[in-house]
Amino acid sequence: MKLGIIGLPQSGKTTIFTALTGARGEGETPGSFHKDAMLATVTVHDERVMFLTDMYQPKKTTYAKVEYLLPSKISGKAGSGPEGGIWNQVRPCDALLHVVRNFKDAREPTPESDFWKMEEELILSDLMVVEKRLERIELDKKRGKKPEGNEYSLLMSCKEILDKGLPLRTDQGLASEPELRGFTFLSAKSMLVIVNNGDEDESLPKWKKPPAGADMVLVRGRLEKDIALMDADEAEEFLEMYNIQESALDRLIRKSFSLLNLISFFTVGPDEVKAWPIPAGTIALDAAGVIHSDIKQGFIRAEVVAFDDLKNAGSLQEAKKRGQVRLEGKEYRMKDGDIVNFRFNV
Ligand SMILES: Nc1nc2c(ncn2[C@@H]2O[C@H](COP(=O)(O)OP(=O)(O)OP(=O)(O)O)[C@@H](O)[C@H]2O)c(=O)[nH]1
Ligand SMILES: [Mg+2]
C-alpha cells in the first residue's frame, strides 16, 4: 500500500519526504519505478505496540509500515501537460498526499488557490479519460454493439461530478466502484492535504472553500526535516525549545495509515511483538493468511482479546479469568487492536 506525494512546484514535497525518511524510515530508489522516483518505507509509531513490548519483553518488536512515493520531475511532452508524467507515476498508488505551500518564500503563501489549482488538474485529467471512453461507447452503440454492465451510466455519473469541478472522492460509492477500478481515476483516490507551514507558524489557513472529501494535517516541513536529520540529543533540545509535544510526522504517518483504510492486529510472545496491517473488514481466516498460508490452511480458531481489555486486565491470564479472551471462527471480522493467537493444524 503506497501513498503518492503530489503538489505544485516548490511546495515542499522533497522536504517532507526527507523528513519522513530521516525520522522514521529509509528511502530508496526502486528500479521498477520511473528514474529518480523515490520510495520511502516508514514506521507507523503505535503506543499499543510499545505497551505490549513492555509487557512481553520480546526479543524483537515490529511496527506496521507505510510507503510513500515521491515521483521524479519530468517536463511534459507536448500535449500531455506539465504534470502528465507525474500522474502516470502516482496512478498505481492507493492514496495521495497533497502538499500545499503555506510558508513565505519569494511569494506570499496562497494555500487555497494552490490547492485548487492542483485539484483542477486531477479533475481535468479524469474528465478527459471519462469523455474519451464515453465517446468510444457511443461510437460502438451506433455500430450496434451494446455496452456491457453499468459502465456507461457509471461514467455518466462521474462526468456529472467532474463537470461541477468536484473530485470523484466526494462520492465514495462511485469512487470505490469495482467496475471503474481499471480507470485508476486520480480524483477518486483518498487524499490527505499537508499544509506546509513556516517554522514559526502553527495555525491552519482559513479556507473559503475547503478541500472536498479530504482530511488535513498541518506540518512545519522544514522544521521537521531539520529535526529528523539531527542526532538524538540535539533533537531533544530542539523539541523542547520549540515546545513540540507530539511529532507532527507521527500524526501524518498515522493518518496516512488510516487513509489507506488499514487496521492493525497484533501477535505477542517472548520472541516477537508484531503489528500486522490488514484492510478494515478482513475476516480472521484471511488475517491468518497474512501471517502464513499454513496457518490459513489449517485454521481452527482465533483466540482474540481486545487491546484495551488486555491492558486493563494487566495480563493474559487475568483477561482469561475475566472472560475477555474469546474464541472466534473463520468469518470473524477483525477489529483494530485485536491481539490474536491463531490455533491451527499442520
Ligand atoms: N520556510 C520554509 N521553507 C520551506 C518549507 N518546506 C520547504 N521549504 C523551502 O522551499 C523550497 C522548496 O522545497 P522543496 O521541498 O524542494 O519543494 P518541492 O515541492 O520538492 O519542489 P520541486 O521538487 O521543485 O517541485 C526549499 O528552498 C525549501 O527549503 C517549510 O516548511 N518552511
Ligand atoms: Mg522536489
Side-chain angles (χ1 to χ4, degrees), residues 27-96:
E28 51 174 333
T29 320
S32 55
F33 286 98
H34 198 278
K35 188 170 158 289
D36 300 331
M38 294 280 292
L39 190 67
T41 309
V42 167
T43 298
V44 184
H45 276 197
D46 190 330
E47 278 176 17
R48 298 168 302 180
V49 177
M50 291 180 208
F51 183 90
L52 293 170
T53 299
D54 262 356
M55 191 172 203
Y56 283 89
Q57 299 290 318
K59 294 195 194 95
K60 191 179 169 200
T61 299
T62 308
Y63 290 86
K65 301 251 197 279
V66 177
E67 287 186 318
Y68 296 93
L69 173 76
L70 182 67
S72 71
K73 271 190 270 187
I74 318 166
S75 40
K77 298 179 202 85
S80 66
E83 301 293 344
I86 287 169
W87 293 155
N88 288 337
Q89 294 178 67
V90 298
R91 275 195 192 284
C93 290
D94 304 286
L96 300 174

Side-chain angles (χ1 to χ4, degrees), residues 10-310:
Q10 297 292 294
S11 54
K13 301 180 293 296
T14 303
T15 302
I16 283 169
F17 181 86
T18 310
L20 286 166
T21 53
R24 309 277 177 266
E26 42 201 77
E28 51 174 333
T29 320
S32 55
F33 286 98
H34 198 278
K35 188 170 158 289
D36 300 331
M38 294 280 292
L39 190 67
T41 309
V42 167
T43 298
V44 184
H45 276 197
D46 190 330
E47 278 176 17
R48 298 168 302 180
V49 177
M50 291 180 208
F51 183 90
L52 293 170
T53 299
D54 262 356
M55 191 172 203
Y56 283 89
Q57 299 290 318
K59 294 195 194 95
K60 191 179 169 200
T61 299
T62 308
Y63 290 86
K65 301 251 197 279
V66 177
E67 287 186 318
Y68 296 93
L69 173 76
L70 182 67
S72 71
K73 271 190 270 187
I74 318 166
S75 40
K77 298 179 202 85
S80 66
E83 301 293 344
I86 287 169
W87 293 155
N88 288 337
Q89 294 178 67
V90 298
R91 275 195 192 284
C93 290
D94 304 286
L96 300 174
L97 273 195
H98 181 168
V99 179
V100 176
R101 183 179 67 92
N102 193 35
F103 58 86
K104 210 169 141 106
D105 51 15
R107 304 152 296 165
E108 286 298 317
T110 48
E112 180 160 2
S113 59
D114 286 4
F115 170 82
W116 284 103
K117 201 166 160 187
M118 176 106 300
E119 187 84 326
E120 271 161 27
E121 289 199 43
L122 297 177
I123 292 167
L124 264 178
S125 151
D126 286 350
L127 193 58
M128 268 159 66
V129 174
V130 167
E131 285 179 341
K132 213 168 130 191
R133 182 65 194 147
L134 282 171
E135 269 172 37
R136 179 81 232 170
I137 294 174
E138 266 149 28
L139 210 72
D140 282 350
K141 262 196 205 159
K142 278 187 198 141
R143 292 198 188 118
K145 195 175 149 201
K146 267 207 261 161
E148 278 170 39
N150 297 319
E151 192 189 356
Y152 187 82
S153 66
L154 288 170
L155 287 173
M156 286 303 283
S157 307
C158 290
K159 187 169 150 48
E160 202 176 305
I161 293 170
L162 296 166
D163 275 338
K164 279 191 246 168
L166 288 173
L168 292 173
R169 81 182 89 85
T170 53
D171 184 335
Q172 265 311 309
L174 196 60
S176 57
E177 174 61 48
E179 252 189 278
L180 296 177
R181 201 166 291 155
F183 292 105
T184 59
F185 288 127
L186 294 165
S187 78
K189 294 183 192 298
S190 320
M191 179 186 278
L192 185 60
V193 179
I194 309 297
V195 178
N196 184 17
N197 275 27
D199 299 358
E200 310 288 344
D201 182 10
E202 283 185 85
S203 52
L204 272 172
K206 292 197 171 55
W207 303 72
K208 284 200 214 80
K209 189 181 162 201
D215 210 354
M216 248 187 286
V217 186
L218 190 146
V219 174
R220 289 178 282 178
R222 193 172 65 183
L223 188 68
E224 292 287 347
K225 185 198 78 177
D226 289 347
I227 296 168
L229 301 180
M230 288 173 188
D231 58 49
D233 287 350
E234 210 185 342
E236 203 170 313
E237 224 172 89
F238 210 82
L239 290 175
E240 263 172 42
M241 205 165 79
Y242 274 85
N243 193 23
I244 300 172
Q245 315 267 319
E246 196 212 7
S247 162
L249 286 183
D250 283 333
R251 209 163 353 116
L252 164 69
I253 295 163
R254 267 208 309 277
K255 286 217 171 181
S256 306
F257 191 73
S258 48
L259 195 71
L260 294 169
N261 206 16
L262 295 172
I263 60 171
S264 292
F265 74 90
F266 308 119
T267 52
V268 295
D271 286 329
E272 189 177 17
V273 163
K274 181 164 182 170
W276 300 85
I278 47 170
T282 301
I283 58 168
L285 184 68
D286 293 327
V290 172
I291 301 180
H292 200 286
S293 54
D294 287 350
I295 304 182
K296 181 172 179 174
Q297 208 94 59
F299 186 100
I300 302 170
R301 283 262 183 284
E303 213 175 57
V304 183
V305 57
F307 173 80
D308 285 337
D309 288 342
L310 177 63

